[in-house]
Amino acid sequence: MTDETTKNGPDAAATEAAADAPANVENEAAAEAAAQSDPLELLKAENVELRDRYLRLAAEMDNLRRRTEREVKDAKAYSVASFARDMLAVSDNLRRAIDAIPEEAKATADAGLTTLIEGVEMTERSMLSALERHGVRKLEPVGQKFDPNFHQAMFEVPNADVPNNTVVQVVQAGYTIGERVLRPAMVGVAKGGPKLVEPETNSVFDQKDA
């Protein structure tokens, strides 16, 4: 036999068939597995995946909507904060002008001075009313416990008749805009009085036991 006969003989064919056998077995197994797959189960799995994607997308859109609404609300509420703070300085000057006039002068003032005083007071009231329409509120801290979030202590006043750290005097009015402090109130606080006792609150368990 020649070399060509040896390569192309029955043994060579058998060798090639043996080499192709694993590939054929794998293809047949894959085809059989695909044939055995339940279309309904595939649809169910796809439905679960699509539902999960939809829920995630819906949650993201809801969070985006809430965040946008909050940002728009804050923008509307606090967009005038800088302008309102500047207007408060003008209002302070009007109040200083009014307070600078002695009570005796007001009582004996002629018609011209009286009209001027009334005009300044009316201007101050109109300005504060306009600010209030835009969410600016004046703080009324006298008689309240000193709160560093809303008040700025300027001095202490010896007073044993009220609890310690009670606001007893306002040097400059404070204002809020929405839920934020636009300007803290400058106040004087009492010193030397009894300590302010926080009211006791009964827990739910105490109420049940009672």
Side-chain angles (χ1 to χ4, degrees):
M1 283 187 167
T2 63
D3 293 339
E4 185 177 356
T5 303
T6 302
K7 292 180 181 179
N8 296 328
D11 292 339
T15 302
E16 292 178 1
D20 293 340
N24 293 334
V25 171
E26 291 179 359
N27 293 336
E28 291 177 359
E32 184 178 356
Q36 291 178 354
S37 298
D38 189 352
L40 182 59
E41 293 298 328
L42 293 177
L43 289 175
K44 287 182 179 180
E46 184 178 357
N47 183 52
V48 170
E49 182 180 358
L50 291 176
R51 178 178 175 81
D52 184 61
R53 290 182 182 178
Y54 168 76
L55 292 177
R56 286 200 301 268
L57 179 61
E60 291 176 0
M61 293 301 297
D62 188 55
N63 291 335
L64 177 61
R65 178 184 59 81
R66 292 180 181 179
R67 184 167 60 252
T68 302
E69 289 179 352
R70 183 171 61 254
E71 291 176 353
V72 171
K73 182 179 179 181
D74 289 346
K76 290 181 179 179
Y78 306 119
S79 60
V80 298
S82 297
F83 175 75
R85 195 176 291 110
D86 292 338
M87 290 301 99
L88 288 179
V90 178
S91 178
D92 291 340
N93 290 331
L94 292 174
R95 174 45 50 185
R96 293 189 186 99
I98 296 171
D99 293 340
I101 303 174
E103 292 297 330
E104 296 80 5
K106 292 180 181 180
T108 59
D110 56 17
L113 181 57
T114 299
T115 302
L116 176 62
I117 295 173
E118 291 176 351
V120 174
E121 291 176 340
M122 185 179 298
T123 302
E124 181 194 28
R125 288 194 299 269
S126 298
M127 180 176 294
L128 294 178
S129 178
L131 290 173
E132 188 173 351
R133 287 195 299 270
H134 290 279
V136 178
R137 298 288 185 272
K138 184 178 181 180
L139 295 173
E140 301 292 346
V142 175
Q144 298 179 0
K145 180 183 177 182
F146 174 77
D147 187 344
N149 296 314
F150 297 95
H151 313 143
Q152 181 178 348
M154 304 301 295
F155 53 85
E156 293 180 326
V157 179
N159 191 335
D161 297 331
V162 296
N164 201 32
N165 284 333
T166 298
V167 176
V168 294
Q169 186 176 346
V170 177
V171 179
Q172 185 181 66
Y175 293 85
T176 60
I177 180 170
E179 298 178 354
R180 300 180 184 177
V181 177
L182 183 62
R183 188 179 74 183
M186 296 183 180
V187 301
V189 296
K191 178 183 179 182
K195 292 184 178 181
L196 186 64
V197 179
E198 297 291 342
E200 296 183 359
T201 56
N202 295 329
S203 65
V204 178
F205 298 101
D206 295 336
Q207 294 175 0
K208 289 182 178 180
D209 294 339

